[in-house]
Amino acid sequence: MAGTKASDIHQAFNEEPTNKYIEKYKMFCYVFGKYIDKKPQNDISRSLYQADLVLTPGMFISLALVTAAMASLVVLIFSLIFFRNSASPLVYISMLTVLTFGLSVSSFPFMLYNKISGKNMNIEHELPFALGYMTILASGGSSPMDVIRQVAIEDYGDVSTEFGKVMYRVDVLGEDGVSAMNNLIRNTSSESFRAICIDLANSMQSGGGLRTYLEMKSRELMDMRRKMQQEFVESLGVYGEGYLSGVVMSVVLVVLMIVVASALGIELGPFTAKQLFQFFVYFMLPFINIVFLLLLWMKYSRSTL
C-alpha cells in the first residue's frame, strides 16, 4: 500500500509541472478568446460538450489560432535559414508557412471530430453490457433514477460518463430527473444512446415498463452485436483470400517470370533482371502491402468490435 501511495505521489509531482504549463498556455491564448466568447457559439459549445472537453468556444478557437501562428512562425524561421539561397526562396517560404498554418488550424477540428467518434465507438461497445446490468437492477425493483445513478458509478466507459452528467445536474444543480435526461438527449453524440435515453425519460414520466423495455433492448443489441461479429469475421476472410490470391500469387509469378527470363536470356526492356528484381522486391512489394494495410485501416478503424 505504501508503495502504491509513493508511486502516486511521484506521478503527481511529474504531472503537475506539465499541467501547470498547459494551463498557463491556455490562459495566454484566452486573452484573445475572451472576445470571441462575447457572442454565443452554440455549435462549437455542443461539440466541446460532446467531446467532454472543459473549454469555452473562445478558448478552443484561440488555442487553434495561436498554436497555428506559433507553428507557422517556427516554420518561417527555419525556412528562411534553409531556403534563403534557393532558386525561388519566396515561393518555398510562403508555401511552407501557409501550409503549416492551415494544417495546424484544421488539426483542432479534426482532433475534436476524432474524440467524438472515439466516444461514440466506446458507447456502442459498452451499451449492451450496460443495458444488461440495468436490466438486473430494474428486476430488483430499482427506480429509473436509481438505475441511472448506479450505472454512473460503475465503469461502463462513456456510458457511465454520460449518465454521470445526468446525476451532476440532479444532485448538484438541483434539476429533476426528466429535465436532466432531456438535456442529455439534446446533447449526446450517439444516436443509439439518444434513442435509449428517450425511452428512459418516457419511463421516468410514466413510471412503468422499464424492466420489460431493458430486457428487450439488451437482447436486441446483443443479437445485433453477434451479427456484426459474424460479418466482421466474414469480411476479414474475404480480405485474407484477396491478399493470398492477389498479392502473394502476384509476387510469386513476377519473381518466377524475372528468374525464367534471366535464365533464358530474354530481354526485359531497358532494365536488367537484377534491377527489375530489386525494384519489385524493395519498392513495389512494400508499396502494395502499405496500400493493402491502408484499405484495412479505412475499413475497420471505426469498428466497435
Side-chain angles (χ1 to χ4, degrees), residues 53-207:
L53 293 177
V54 188
L55 296 172
T56 66
M59 181 175 285
F60 179 77
I61 295 172
S62 61
L63 272 172
L65 294 176
V66 172
T67 303
M70 293 177 67
S72 301
L73 181 62
V74 172
V75 171
L76 176 62
I77 293 171
F78 279 99
S79 299
L80 288 172
I81 295 172
F82 289 110
F83 295 107
R84 60 183 177 182
N85 296 323
S86 62
S88 303
L90 186 61
V91 174
Y92 290 117
I93 293 170
S94 59
M95 285 183 61
L96 284 173
T97 305
V98 172
L99 184 64
T100 302
F101 185 84
L103 289 176
S104 300
V105 170
S106 60
S107 66
F108 278 80
F110 182 72
M111 174 200 67
L112 193 62
Y113 169 77
N114 276 347
K115 193 168 180 62
I116 294 173
S117 298
K119 178 180 175 180
N120 290 341
M121 289 170 58
N122 183 264
I123 289 176
E124 296 289 340
H125 179 268
E126 296 288 346
L127 201 52
F129 308 107
L131 284 177
Y133 180 63
M134 293 166 69
T135 303
I136 296 172
L137 294 175
S139 301
S142 299
S143 66
M145 281 307 301
D146 290 336
V147 170
I148 293 171
R149 186 187 303 276
Q150 194 62 37
V151 174
I153 296 172
E154 298 294 331
D155 185 15
Y156 287 102
D158 286 304
V159 176
S160 297
T161 302
E162 293 292 274
F163 280 147
K165 296 176 182 178
V166 175
M167 300 317 304
Y168 173 80
R169 299 186 75 89
V170 172
D171 295 337
V172 179
L173 301 182
E175 289 187 6
D176 63 280
V178 176
S179 298
M181 284 297 295
N182 288 335
N183 181 75
L184 181 62
I185 290 167
R186 287 192 300 270
N187 293 298
T188 187
S189 57
S190 173
E191 293 299 328
S192 57
F193 185 68
R194 177 181 286 111
I196 290 172
C197 288
I198 291 172
D199 293 330
L200 286 175
N202 292 334
S203 177
M204 291 168 64
Q205 289 179 314
S206 62

Side-chain angles (χ1 to χ4, degrees), residues 28-61:
F28 168 74
C29 294
Y30 192 62
V31 172
F32 310 98
K34 62 184 179 182
Y35 300 104
I36 302 174
D37 282 333
K38 290 182 179 180
K39 293 182 180 180
Q41 308 287 337
N42 295 327
D43 292 338
I44 301 177
S45 297
R46 189 166 181 268
S47 297
L48 291 171
Y49 180 85
Q50 290 176 346
D52 297 326
L53 293 177
V54 188
L55 296 172
T56 66
M59 181 175 285
F60 179 77
I61 295 172

Side-chain angles (χ1 to χ4, degrees), residues 241-262:
E241 291 175 3
Y243 181 79
L244 288 174
S245 60
V247 178
V248 175
M249 289 301 297
S250 298
V251 171
V252 174
L253 290 175
V254 172
V255 169
L256 284 175
M257 182 191 72
I258 294 173
V259 172
V260 171
S262 176

Side-chain angles (χ1 to χ4, degrees), residues 241-293:
E241 291 175 3
Y243 181 79
L244 288 174
S245 60
V247 178
V248 175
M249 289 301 297
S250 298
V251 171
V252 174
L253 290 175
V254 172
V255 169
L256 284 175
M257 182 191 72
I258 294 173
V259 172
V260 171
S262 176
L264 297 176
I266 299 174
E267 294 290 336
L268 298 173
F271 304 102
T272 64
K274 182 178 180 181
Q275 289 174 334
L276 284 175
F277 184 82
Q278 290 178 340
F279 173 78
F280 183 78
V281 171
Y282 296 113
F283 176 75
M284 284 301 299
L285 185 58
F287 178 75
I288 293 171
N289 281 293
I290 290 171
V291 171
F292 186 79
L293 289 174

Side-chain angles (χ1 to χ4, degrees), residues 11-22:
Q11 183 178 1
F13 272 109
N14 288 336
E15 291 180 354
E16 185 179 356
T18 305
N19 294 333
K20 181 176 67 175
Y21 291 131
I22 291 174

